[in-house]
Amino acid sequence: MRDSGPHPTDRRALLRFLAASPLMAGFHALPRWLEWGRQETDIITAAKDALDVFDFEAVAKKNLSPAHFGYLQTGTDDDATIAANREGFNRYQLRMRRLADIGKIDMSVKVLGANWANPVFLCPIASHCAFHPDGEIAVARGAKAGNHLFMLATPATTSVEEVNAARGEPVWFQLYPRNDWNQTHQMIKRAEAAGCPVLVYTVDLIGGSNRLTGTRARRRDPATCTDCHEGGLNDNSRKPMIADLKPAPPAPEAGPATWEFVKRLKDATPMKLVLKGIVTREDTELAVEHGVDAVYVSNHGGRAENSLRSAVECVPEVVAGAAGRAPVLVDSGFRRGTDIFKALALGATAVGVGRPYIWGLAAFGQEGVEAVLNILRRELQMVMRQAGTSTVGKITKASIIDRRGGTY
Ligand SMILES: Cc1cc2nc3c(=O)[nH]c(=O)nc-3n(C[C@H](O)[C@H](O)[C@H](O)COP(=O)(O)O)c2cc1C
């Protein structure tokens, strides 16, 4: 398709000319319709009108309370790692190949023995009902419509059994362990009994995170949080995967979260084990040595620590550490088909999206989730066609250039 937008220099010349023109006398600023690109006032009113996933962000902001939107958007410290996650993609350019046969594009991938229709999955995110009353059920149905893997978070506001029914197949279960090993064990066994094939242990918040934007937004919110969160913000009564856990004797301490604990998890369940939040070659090697089945690169969407390191730039060293012994998943900052394409080219097997599907949920419920996922699939398909890569397997290191010329 031809790029039909005005050339930037023509545009600037036009704006300069109009600004100087007597026609504009009396105008303090250029009228909005003369400015290009996304405007604050470009708020869509139907999911079908969205041009990209960011169109849902503005609607989510409008629909949510400041406290809930702040919880969704926050990073840590000054949120600079959120920005770094986006900037990381600019490091990689695409090498487009022409005239390859792109009549049929196959986006399918194989992950831990399962066939996925496409490489895009929905990251585990807590408390979907804070963003829309249909919560995780709407998300599971949206994931089903687009044939995406969904990972359910420990602090979900819907049970794993209900979510599996809505998704039409078992989801992967994300684990935040409890201090009491018995409770952790109960949670694992519940996910296992529900048929979840994979346990995703999140390891990137063990030291705590400094979420200032979220705290500020909560202070700004005129609502009284305890009107809904009756037992305070840490009240788990609306989180069915945690609410029913009972300390049962004997209740040994879970022990420190170390590689020993990874071994304990492995021994506790036949489910496959994924570590979420790995960002280095060394930890990838340790993960593989400890029998971990897949490594999941993530900085929690810039809400773990302010490392200033984008997730996509961590992929090459993690892929090198895995050395073909375990698949590598990645999330944090993925918003466009080209972002997904770049991670696949760097050796990732699948790519997770977090906030974008919640923007869709908060904006239009299930329809919004479906629309976000549609856009991502459509964009990925388009860049695959443009790059002459008719299958995911054809997306390789030769499909991109690292501006810094790194070797891995
Ligand atoms: C509001 C919110 C809640 C989250 N809750 C969890 C969670 O319960 N467990 C978890 O492993 N990750 C959680 N994450 C991190 C996501 O799984 C994922 O790593 C991140 O959202 C990806 O980055 P992105 O939002 O830039 O796409 C959460 C992220 C957000 C934004």
Side-chain angles (χ1 to χ4, degrees), residues 361-381:
L361 175 71
F364 303 108
Q366 180 186 335
E367 209 187 336
V369 176
E370 280 184 38
V372 162
L373 297 170
N374 266 332
I375 287 171
L376 292 172
R377 284 197 312 279
R378 194 179 65 217
E379 289 180 353
L380 176 60
Q381 203 173 54

Side-chain angles (χ1 to χ4, degrees), residues 123-124 126 153 155 174 176 202 276 298 300-301 331-333 335 354-355:
C123 305
Q174 178 269 328
Y176 282 139
T202 300
K276 175 172 185 277
S298 174
H300 223 99
D331 74 22
S332 296
R335 304 290 181 261
R355 293 182 186 86

